[in-house]
Amino acid sequence: MGRIIIKGKEFTFEQIRNGQWPAQEPYFQTSLSFCHEWLNGKHLFELQTSGSTGTPKQIMVTRAQMSSSAKATRDFFNIPVQANLLCCLNTAMIAGKMMLVRAMEWDSILYIVEPQSNPLLSIDPVQQFVFATMVPLQLETCLHDAHTAQMLTHIVHLLIGGAPIADSLRHKAALLPGNLYQTYGMTETVSHIALANLKADGALIYELLPGVACRQDEEEKLAVKAPMTNDRWIWTNDIVEMLSDRSFIWKGRADFTINTGGVKVQPEEVEAAAVDIMAVHFPGQRYFVTALPDVRLGQKVILLVEAEPVAEPKVKEVLHQLKTKLSAYHAPKDLLFVPNFAETASHKVNRDASLARWMASQAENARDPNR
């Protein structure tokens, strides 16, 4: 019989179906309440989108869509019944919620840990897991700690989602013995619909899950259709390079595209190229590439760093190193700083709001140059 384990205490699915569990901390209480609804046959669920590129919104998905998503993942990895799973993501969002669904649909043993940068610290060091999902920050933190880095070797299938993985982290994680995949998906597709093998050489190639179809429009934006989308085509804002009718390379978001001097630049590609340079000069600090208006170019590429401003010689050195690695149009023209980035409800960087913070600080400095 499948069950959920919270801080060493076990709750069978039958107990959860009958509402037989003591009061829990809010995160665990919410998770168990969702499982209670699922196990009692609820058919319609309200989900909140992450708000990565706009205002978060509520959407409705059916039980059949979520079941289809769980089945496609199980079929892709051939997960056996009674497998040990680890959920360490926010179960209010689709990625964490689908870990709950998978456990119930797969008749698994699910260990739930409240989201934190190093979720393995509260796990028995000898515990084995067949399947787990993390965000890049969690993987990075676990690898940085010798104790939890060893625990990562006990995970057979580890999925990384929520944000693209940096090349430096990808290379370190590739040494793990288990299977390691980057996910592609969104709330509207009920979690991932494609997976890329992080241990393969070269650019990440996303393979569609069973039952998923995709196509492109004239602007190279991706559309997907699958049982998890209610067999409707969903158009995304993601620009991809199609390799076949079952695989693609993700290039970036259309709404992030910068047009500088008539040349289209994908910020995500510039960010990937800047990883090693930024790791040296701004280790552990977040950054992203965006644009500001420019009289000559229309838009100019800039790099915004979550940090206090640094001395001009360092700024020039970083820009010079980026220029040697990137084309003239792709290389950032300015390096700008914001002490704290704005975030979405799911703790992703809100690019527009973060840039607005920088612009507000410039306006304040103009009013009071002695600040």
Side-chain angles (χ1 to χ4, degrees):
M1 165 84 58
R3 57 193 183 275
I4 288 176
I5 299 176
I6 298 173
K7 295 183 176 180
K9 296 182 179 179
E10 297 189 3
F11 305 95
T12 67
F13 289 159
E14 187 62 29
Q15 288 175 311
I16 296 170
R17 178 183 290 108
N18 295 328
Q20 297 173 335
W21 70 81
Q24 301 289 318
E25 296 167 26
Y27 169 76
F28 300 115
Q29 182 66 31
T30 300
S31 301
L32 290 171
S33 294
F34 171 80
C35 293
H36 173 72
E37 293 177 337
W38 184 272
L39 291 167
N40 280 285
K42 185 174 179 178
H43 285 281
L44 198 60
F45 298 88
E46 187 175 63
L47 302 178
Q48 178 175 292
T49 63
S50 66
S52 299
T53 58
T55 303
K57 61 183 179 181
Q58 303 293 323
I59 64 171
M60 302 303 294
V61 300
T62 66
R63 182 187 188 91
Q65 287 175 263
M66 300 175 87
S67 292
S68 295
S69 177
K71 180 181 185 302
T73 300
R74 181 189 61 203
D75 291 348
F76 186 93
F77 290 106
N78 194 26
I79 304 293
V81 297
Q82 295 293 292
N84 289 333
L85 315 183
L86 172 64
C87 175
C88 54
L89 302 177
N90 183 1
T91 56
M93 309 301 289
I94 188 60
K97 200 175 293 294
M98 280 306 302
M99 283 302 301
L100 302 177
V101 173
R102 291 178 194 124
M104 293 181 287
E105 290 291 281
W106 301 350
D107 194 24
S108 301
I109 302 165
L110 179 66
Y111 292 72
I112 303 182
V113 177
E114 192 161 9
Q116 54 190 292
S117 59
N118 192 332
L120 297 183
L121 289 175
S122 58
I123 297 291
D124 186 328
V126 299
Q127 180 62 55
Q128 308 277 324
F129 293 106
V130 171
F131 187 90
T133 57
M134 293 183 181
V135 298
L137 173 62
Q138 290 175 319
L139 176 61
E140 177 97 57
T141 307
C142 290
L143 283 170
H144 189 70
D145 182 292
H147 173 70
T148 53
Q150 176 60 31
M151 294 175 66
L152 286 172
T153 67
H154 301 162
I155 301 175
V156 179
H157 305 294
L158 178 58
L159 272 56
I160 306 300
I165 190 169
D167 282 345
S168 55
L169 177 56
R170 177 183 173 186
H171 293 150
K172 287 188 291 186
L175 299 176
L176 294 170
N179 296 315
L180 189 67
Y181 286 86
Q182 173 91 48
T183 67
Y184 173 85
M186 59 206 76
T187 308
E188 291 84 350
T189 61
V190 193
S191 190
H192 55 262
I193 49 85
L195 298 167
N197 184 356
L198 286 167
K199 291 190 171 186
D201 294 330
L204 289 180
I205 298 175
Y206 288 90
E207 303 285 344
L208 297 179
L209 292 184
V212 180
C214 69
R215 66 186 187 192
Q216 279 181 297
D217 65 10
E218 63 279 1
E219 296 179 333
E220 300 185 319
K221 289 191 290 189
L222 180 73
V224 297
K225 177 183 177 183
M228 37 281 229
T229 68
N230 253 344
D231 289 317
R232 294 181 294 108
W233 284 104
I234 292 181
W235 285 99
T236 75
N237 275 319
D238 291 307
I239 295 175
V240 301
E241 176 187 347
M242 296 297 300
L243 302 179
S244 74
D245 61 354
R246 302 290 307 162
S247 62
F248 61 87
I249 294 174
W250 181 80
K251 299 180 71 175
R253 291 193 60 86
D255 41 355
F256 290 170
T257 302
I258 299 168
N259 190 325
T260 178
V263 176
K264 290 186 177 181
V265 173
Q266 286 304 135
E268 298 89 344
E269 293 181 328
V270 178
E271 291 160 6
V275 166
D276 292 340
I277 294 170
M278 297 301 289
V280 171
H281 294 283
F282 299 98
Q285 290 169 293
R286 296 187 294 183
Y287 62 90
F288 64 88
V289 170
T290 186
L292 287 173
D294 184 83
V295 173
R296 185 173 65 89
L297 298 170
Q299 288 182 302
K300 67 176 180 179
V301 178
I302 61 118
L303 197 156
L304 195 62
V305 185
E306 187 177 38
E308 295 293 340
V310 299
E312 188 63 22
K314 183 172 182 177
V315 170
K316 290 183 177 180
E317 175 61 23
V318 173
L319 291 175
H320 171 72
Q321 291 184 21
L322 291 170
K323 190 174 181 180
T324 63
K325 195 170 184 179
L326 294 157
S327 73
Y329 285 100
H330 287 72
K333 303 298 185 289
D334 287 311
L335 191 64
L336 308 176
F337 301 90
V338 172
N340 295 291
F341 283 163
E343 294 185 342
T344 68
S346 57
H347 305 295
K348 297 179 182 179
V349 173
N350 186 319
R351 295 180 180 231
D352 289 344
S354 297
L355 181 59
R357 285 186 179 180
W358 177 83
M359 297 175 71
S361 70
Q362 297 307 293
E364 184 66 28
N365 288 340
R367 286 193 296 269
D368 182 7
N370 297 317
R371 286 180 74 234

